């Protein structure tokens, strides 16, 4: 929502620390420290307690300077093709997902990452708070992948994926695993995991002796890729965002 008088983006009522992180002043945790240290005033009154909410029209100041959210929060879903990195720039000069989102006017950045060779659903946003919540394992947002693997995994091998695989001396959390189809040379699996360890699906499949040939993320929580083609993106609605949270414990 944009205030027609000032041209500034308006915001919904929200907690002060979240508001400060929306202003790009600090992460939510750092904002809490700033509040505790007495550096933040709301309508001229210094606030040192957590939990206070601010509404449109409130004057928030940080170190004596007005704190104003500059950009409306936007959320984008991209169908990342293989052959792109998910960082904003690449020292090796490879193509990045930023090359695909040139038409987005806000400064968005990827939430979590997909490997160079992995395709599929990637969210980009300028909302740091959302990015933090959806990548933290504590929040258990399920990510669903379709993996084509080499060979014919036995039932026992698939059960190992479900029960947990030792990676980096720590068992992976329970995964949902379904065998979609197979022939003698290849099998196609659907896996849902909520952790986001480095190359996790590839390493889990490798550990049971069935390396991944191709990998695609098809859903985050209850939000699926739908009909987006590789390289295409679209804005997410608040209904889309709810789908991510609703299914997050599923
Ligand atoms: N697991 C992987 O191995 N790679 C990805 O890109 C995502 C999950």
């Amino acid at each position: 929502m944009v205030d027609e008088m000032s041209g500034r983006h308006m915001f919904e009522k929200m907690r002060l620390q979240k508001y400060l992180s929306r202003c790009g002043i600090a992460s939510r945790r750092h904002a809490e420290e700033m509040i505790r240290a007495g550096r933040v005033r709301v309508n001229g009154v210094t606030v040192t307690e957590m939990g206070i909410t601010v509404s449109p029209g409130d004057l928030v100041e940080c170190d004596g300077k007005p704190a104003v959210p500059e950009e409306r929060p936007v959320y984008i879903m991209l169908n990342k093709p293989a052959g792109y990195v998910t960082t904003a720039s690449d020292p090796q000069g490879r193509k990045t997902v930023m090359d695909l989102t040139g038409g987005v006017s806000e400064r968005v950045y990827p939430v979590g990452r997909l490997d160079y060779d992995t395709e599929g659903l990637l969210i980009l946003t300028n909302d740091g708070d959302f990015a933090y919540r959806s990548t933290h394992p504590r929040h258990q947002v399920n990510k669903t992948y379709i993996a084509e693997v080499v060979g014919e995994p036995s039932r026992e091998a698939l059960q190992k994926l479900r029960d947990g695989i030792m990676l980096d001396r720590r068992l992976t959390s329970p995964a949902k695993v379904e065998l979609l189809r197979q022939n003698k040379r290849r099998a196609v699996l659907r896996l849902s995991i909520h952790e986001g360890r480095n190359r996790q699906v590839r390493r889990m499949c490798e550990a049971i002796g069935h390396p991944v040939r191709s990998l695609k993320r098809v859903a985050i929580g209850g939000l699926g890729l739908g009909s987006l083609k590789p390289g295409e993106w679209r804005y997410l609605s608040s209904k889309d965002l709810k789908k991510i949270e609703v299914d997050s414990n599923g």
Side-chain angles (χ1 to χ4, degrees):
M1 197 190 350
V2 175
D3 176 359
E4 287 179 5
M5 297 292 285
S6 66
R8 276 179 186 152
H9 292 290
M10 303 280 285
F11 60 96
E12 310 292 326
K13 192 170 163 172
M14 69 178 84
R15 283 158 69 94
L16 181 56
Q17 49 272 53
K18 184 167 177 179
Y19 177 90
L20 292 171
S21 73
R22 281 275 169 84
C23 297
I25 287 175
S27 68
R28 206 150 40 140
R29 187 163 319 144
H30 186 209
E32 287 177 7
E33 285 165 20
M34 294 175 92
I35 296 168
R36 244 180 242 114
R39 294 168 58 187
V40 180
R41 282 192 302 195
V42 177
N43 299 328
V45 179
T46 302
V47 174
T48 51
E49 285 155 40
M50 295 307 129
I52 156 170
T53 55
V54 289
S55 306
D58 284 340
L59 171 66
V60 179
E61 292 165 289
C62 194
D63 295 330
K65 292 189 207 107
V68 180
E70 281 164 4
E71 282 184 341
R72 71 188 171 119
V74 292
Y75 310 88
I76 280 151
M77 121 169 149
L78 169 72
N79 185 350
K80 174 194 170 304
Y84 284 77
V85 291
T86 42
T87 45
S89 66
D90 183 52
Q92 295 173 43
R94 293 174 296 181
K95 288 180 284 189
T96 87
V97 292
M98 301 304 172
D99 297 328
L100 299 167
T101 52
V104 183
S105 49
E106 294 84 3
R107 260 180 308 152
V108 292
Y109 52 88
V111 177
R113 53 188 296 279
L114 288 177
D115 298 335
Y116 181 72
D117 291 330
T118 303
E119 286 181 52
L121 205 174
L122 182 72
I123 293 177
L124 296 99
T125 184
N126 54 2
D127 180 348
D129 208 57
F130 171 87
Y132 173 79
R133 276 188 284 122
S134 47
T135 50
H136 199 290
R138 181 156 50 91
H139 296 290
Q140 311 230 329
V141 180
N142 270 322
K143 285 131 195 144
T144 304
Y145 297 88
I146 303 291
E148 191 185 68
V149 301
V150 175
E152 283 182 286
S154 63
R155 271 209 226 168
E156 292 73 27
L158 296 180
Q159 193 55 41
K160 277 190 200 156
L161 292 178
R162 297 186 186 104
D163 294 343
I165 300 279
M166 195 61 85
L167 295 181
D168 314 316
R169 287 191 264 147
R170 222 163 22 98
L171 272 186
T172 55
S173 304
K176 284 189 202 158
V177 180
E178 225 182 306
L179 175 64
L180 297 183
R181 50 184 186 275
Q182 73 173 1
N183 60 34
K184 290 253 167 324
R185 294 172 42 237
R186 295 272 192 272
V188 179
L189 308 178
R190 182 179 8 237
L191 294 103
S192 290
I193 59 171
H194 67 257
E195 294 172 302
R197 301 205 218 165
N198 193 27
R199 300 179 71 82
Q200 180 164 345
V201 173
R202 291 175 195 274
R203 288 195 293 153
M204 286 171 70
C205 294
E206 180 104 39
I208 58 159
H210 297 280
V212 167
R213 276 285 162 265
S214 70
L215 184 62
K216 178 171 184 174
R217 181 154 70 191
V218 291
I220 298 181
L223 177 70
L225 257 182
S227 56
L228 267 193
K229 304 218 167 52
E232 288 182 351
W233 62 268
R234 70 167 177 85
Y235 283 105
L236 296 179
S237 64
S238 52
K239 203 165 144 206
D240 290 324
L241 292 173
K242 283 210 186 81
K243 286 191 197 160
I244 298 179
E245 295 186 349
V246 168
D247 270 29
S248 60
N249 294 314

